[in-house]
């Protein structure tokens, strides 16, 4: 149980276009989902936290107008990178927490590698 | 601001050796601590989760300990195998009651040589 999927697993897009990444909890309801990015040889950095049905909370330095997050249901959150630039190329990973209890662990998706040309 | 440090950054050992990975964090007010494994180009695999009230967790050849008061955790791997080669990440969960967040260390890149 507690499986999280991401789609697509990799994507290449041209500079200036937008790309959407989906994160789904397959066998549980995720009240909270998290989006991270990871640059090569670096650790994961939290971008934003989204609770189902409400606006996402972005970390300092993350442009909310550039990285649009929608958590419309208890099993799906999407991250849209708008007007992508080469510096947005990175590995994006989502995670989902089963419930409101802060002691619950986060379950991570397999990641999406974005390359902007 | 919570900061997580992992030592060493890289480790290379011969197969069969027992090894210890270290993780330290600056703010002891955590909910839990997790150890993850990440293979190149892949997502995270959760290895062990230790709640703040616990001292250790074990799974197979892995044992993780937590000393919250001193802000330290160790991951012990017994009888290492080449398949254990990966990057190991430590992360602590902390934050406001409205939502917790994971803060990750930079990871330890482990290579187990046959």
């Amino acid at each position: 149980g507690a499986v999280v999927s991401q789609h697509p697993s990799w994507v290449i897009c041209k500079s200036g276009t937008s790309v959407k990444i989906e994160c789904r909890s397959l066998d549980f309801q995720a009240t909270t989902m998290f989006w991270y990015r990871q640059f090569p040889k670096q650790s994961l950095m939290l971008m934003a936290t989204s609770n189902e049905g409400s606006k996402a909370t972005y970390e300092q330095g993350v442009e909310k107008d550039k990285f649009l997050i929608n958590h419309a249901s208890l099993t799906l959150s999407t991250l849209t990178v708008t007007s992508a630039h080469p510096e947005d190329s990175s590995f994006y990973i989502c995670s989902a927490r089963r419930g409101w209890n802060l002691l619950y662990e986060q379950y991570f998706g397999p990641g999406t590698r974005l390359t902007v040309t | 601001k919570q900061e997580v440090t992992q030592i060493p950054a890289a480790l290379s050992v011969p197969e069969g050796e027992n090894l210890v990975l270290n993780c330290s964090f600056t703010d002891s007010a955590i909910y839990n601590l997790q150890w993850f494994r990440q293979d190149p180009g892949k997502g995270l695999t959760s290895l062990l989760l230790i709640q703040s009230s616990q001292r250790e967790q074990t799974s197979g050849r892995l044992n993780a300990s937590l000393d919250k008061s001193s802000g330290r955790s160790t991951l012990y791997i017994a009888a290492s195998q080449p398949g254990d080669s990966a990057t190991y990440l430590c992360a602590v969960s902390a934050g406001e009651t409205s939502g917790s967040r994971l803060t990750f260390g930079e990871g330890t890149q482990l290579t187990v040589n046959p």
Side-chain angles (χ1 to χ4, degrees):
Chain A
V3 177
V4 176
S5 70
Q6 281 184 242
H7 178 79
S9 56
W10 60 269
V11 57
I12 301 173
C13 71
K14 292 186 176 181
S15 186
T17 62
S18 296
V19 60
K20 180 185 289 188
I21 302 171
E22 292 185 350
C23 176
R24 293 181 184 273
S25 56
L26 298 184
D27 52 1
F28 68 98
Q29 293 186 328
T31 54
T32 306
M33 287 186 168
F34 305 84
W35 287 95
Y36 298 83
R37 65 189 297 180
Q38 184 180 34
F39 290 109
K41 303 294 185 183
Q42 295 186 24
S43 192
L44 279 73
M45 295 297 294
L46 180 65
M47 298 175 66
T49 302
S50 72
N51 293 302
E52 185 267 337
S54 61
K55 291 183 179 180
T57 302
Y58 291 80
E59 294 299 302
Q60 191 173 9
V62 178
E63 300 175 58
K64 59 182 65 177
D65 294 330
K66 180 170 185 59
F67 298 99
L68 302 179
I69 293 173
N70 185 297
H71 191 166
S73 77
L74 285 172
T75 59
L76 173 64
S77 176
T78 60
L79 168 67
T80 301
V81 183
T82 63
S83 187
H85 291 283
E87 57 264 32
D88 298 324
S89 298
S90 187
F91 193 52
Y92 292 86
I93 304 177
C94 74
S95 70
R97 191 172 65 213
R98 187 190 297 267
W100 296 108
N101 190 324
L102 301 178
L103 298 181
Y104 288 169
E105 67 179 289
Q106 294 180 26
Y107 299 96
F108 284 79
T112 296
R113 180 153 315 275
L114 170 64
T115 302
V116 184
T117 61
Chain B
K1 178 185 175 186
Q2 179 75 266
E3 293 183 1
V4 181
T5 303
Q6 291 187 244
I7 295 174
L11 182 63
S12 181
V13 300
E15 182 176 4
E17 192 163 297
N18 302 324
L19 57 99
V20 175
L21 307 181
N22 297 289
C23 172
S24 61
F25 46 96
T26 54
D27 186 349
S28 62
I30 65 171
Y31 298 118
N32 54 52
L33 181 146
Q34 275 184 274
W35 282 93
F36 296 89
R37 168 189 174 134
Q38 185 175 32
D39 293 290
K42 303 294 185 181
L44 303 184
T45 299
S46 179
L47 299 174
L48 290 165
L49 169 71
I50 310 177
Q51 300 293 356
S52 62
S53 58
Q54 298 175 324
R55 298 283 293 183
E56 66 176 344
Q57 284 287 334
T58 298
S59 176
R61 294 183 293 109
L62 305 180
N63 176 276
S65 67
L66 173 63
D67 185 343
K68 200 175 81 160
S69 61
S70 67
R72 295 183 181 184
S73 175
T74 61
L75 178 66
Y76 175 82
I77 302 178
S80 59
Q81 304 171 356
D84 294 331
S85 298
T87 295
Y88 289 80
L89 295 166
C90 163
V92 296
S93 175
E96 303 295 326
T97 53
S98 59
S100 66
R101 50 184 296 174
L102 281 178
T103 302
F104 283 83
E106 294 293 322
T108 293
Q109 186 172 353
L110 173 65
T111 302
V112 181
N113 301 300

